[in-house]
Amino acid sequence: MHRKLWNQNVLYPLVEKTSLEVHPSLNPKLWTEKEVLRSDVQDHMLRAADKFREYAKIPKNAVKGIIFVGSNTTKYFTSASDIDIHILINRSILGNIPEEVEEYALTKKNLWLRDHSTLKIYGYPLEFYIQDITTKFPKGQGVWDLLHSRWIQKASPQKLDINDPHLALKVKHLTHYINFLIKTNAPD
């Protein structure tokens, strides 16, 4: 049996009522009982990641890795969860001004979200991000290597630290996405 932690309004990607629950296992739509990503799911993720790579104009030989992260790599998934896929590259190939490279990465991510909102795996929307190869994974975050079919890091419960730079980055991404929706007059 799972245990309900709290109810809250979720602003991203849709405003809806949801509850965060701790499940006894990983999402069975995506994972086997042995906590291995289902091969059909992995194949769909890799095909979609390649389409995003082409869309973002990232040369194939620049890709250093493709990872699956987020709530669906933990026991905290919800009906509002998405599938977070990060393309790992040396982001300096996109430019040498970090702020402009980040703006480019976020813009490609948000345009893709807007234009491919129907692209889903078992009902979960796909969200992509261009991540620098040198970025460290947040402590406790689940990280599945899609190219090598293995865990890089299994999820583990962590105490929330409001000074965590990964939390600040998530807030920045959400702020960018909200501003993008406002600027583009996105439909409700």
Side-chain angles (χ1 to χ4, degrees), residues 9-16 174 177-178 181:
N9 285 326
V10 175
L11 179 61
Y12 180 69
L14 300 170
V15 177
E16 68 177 75
L174 290 171
Y177 186 63
I178 291 166
L181 292 173

Side-chain angles (χ1 to χ4, degrees), residues 26 30-39 144 149 151:
L26 296 175
L30 307 176
W31 300 93
T32 69
E33 289 179 11
K34 294 183 179 182
E35 296 188 347
V36 173
L37 192 61
R38 291 181 34 189
S39 60
W144 179 263
S149 303
W151 286 104

Side-chain angles (χ1 to χ4, degrees), residues 9-27:
N9 285 326
V10 175
L11 179 61
Y12 180 69
L14 300 170
V15 177
E16 68 177 75
K17 196 75 167 174
T18 189
S19 63
L20 184 60
E21 300 171 348
V22 180
H23 299 274
S25 61
L26 296 175
N27 188 336

Side-chain angles (χ1 to χ4, degrees), residues 25-133:
S25 61
L26 296 175
N27 188 336
K29 290 181 179 180
L30 307 176
W31 300 93
T32 69
E33 289 179 11
K34 294 183 179 182
E35 296 188 347
V36 173
L37 192 61
R38 291 181 34 189
S39 60
D40 62 320
V41 171
Q42 181 149 318
D43 291 344
H44 285 296
M45 287 182 183
L46 286 170
R47 281 196 301 277
D50 196 51
K51 287 180 183 176
F52 176 77
R53 178 198 57 76
E54 289 174 355
Y55 177 84
K57 297 180 176 31
I58 298 169
K60 200 170 205 168
N61 63 352
V63 175
K64 306 298 182 197
I66 303 173
I67 58 172
F68 173 29
V69 298
S71 62
N72 263 313
T73 63
T74 73
K75 296 176 182 177
Y76 296 98
F77 62 92
T78 71
S79 61
S81 291
D82 58 12
I83 291 176
D84 297 294
I85 300 172
H86 292 199
I87 311 278
L88 304 178
I89 66 167
N90 178 342
R91 282 183 30 172
S92 66
I93 69 163
L94 299 177
N96 56 5
I97 302 171
E99 295 79 19
E100 289 180 5
V101 172
E102 178 66 7
E103 182 70 22
Y104 176 82
L106 289 174
T107 299
K108 285 297 185 182
K109 167 188 170 169
N110 291 332
L111 287 170
W112 176 272
L113 274 172
R114 184 193 68 192
D115 297 341
H116 298 85
S117 62
T118 59
L119 185 59
K120 298 178 181 186
I121 296 176
Y122 293 113
Y124 297 101
L126 304 182
E127 183 175 310
F128 292 93
Y129 183 65
I130 304 165
Q131 180 175 322
D132 191 80
I133 192 72

